[in-house]
Amino acid sequence: MIRVPCPHCGERDETEFHYGGEAGVDYPADPGALDDAAWSSYLFVRSNPRGWLRERWFHGAGCRRWLTVERHTVTDEIRSPS
């Protein structure tokens, strides 16, 4: 079981959250100018590091707010971003 530290509600089980994907992926400034390959890359290509990754999580069963955490992709350890 993964425990997620919510800054508003405290540490909670991951079942209260929805995974929102990798943090820091900006929406394209001019999406209409992207070709299919660039659009596909924006939608589906993400980093897949072996180590710490910044992620967005939504606390749907709690404060209903988005938060950013860092999760270790090998151990699933979660910490607040520094």
Side-chain angles (χ1 to χ4, degrees):
M1 175 67 66
I2 297 175
R3 302 281 292 175
V4 179
C6 177
H8 309 286
C9 306
E11 190 173 280
R12 304 295 178 140
D13 290 342
E14 69 170 303
T15 56
E16 294 186 10
F17 295 83
H18 296 280
Y19 178 72
E22 183 177 354
V25 179
D26 294 329
Y27 191 77
D30 186 7
L34 299 180
D35 62 11
D36 288 346
W39 187 248
S40 176
S41 178
Y42 164 72
L43 290 176
F44 302 112
V45 178
R46 296 291 182 264
S47 64
N48 188 20
R50 184 178 175 88
W52 292 102
L53 178 66
R54 291 174 58 93
E55 298 175 332
R56 299 284 290 161
W57 290 72
F58 178 68
H59 196 183
C63 60
R64 304 193 56 78
R65 295 184 184 184
W66 285 93
L67 56 133
T68 300
V69 298
E70 293 178 340
R71 183 179 62 86
H72 197 282
T73 58
V74 176
T75 64
D76 279 337
E77 179 184 353
I78 290 186
R79 66 184 183 193
S80 296
S82 52

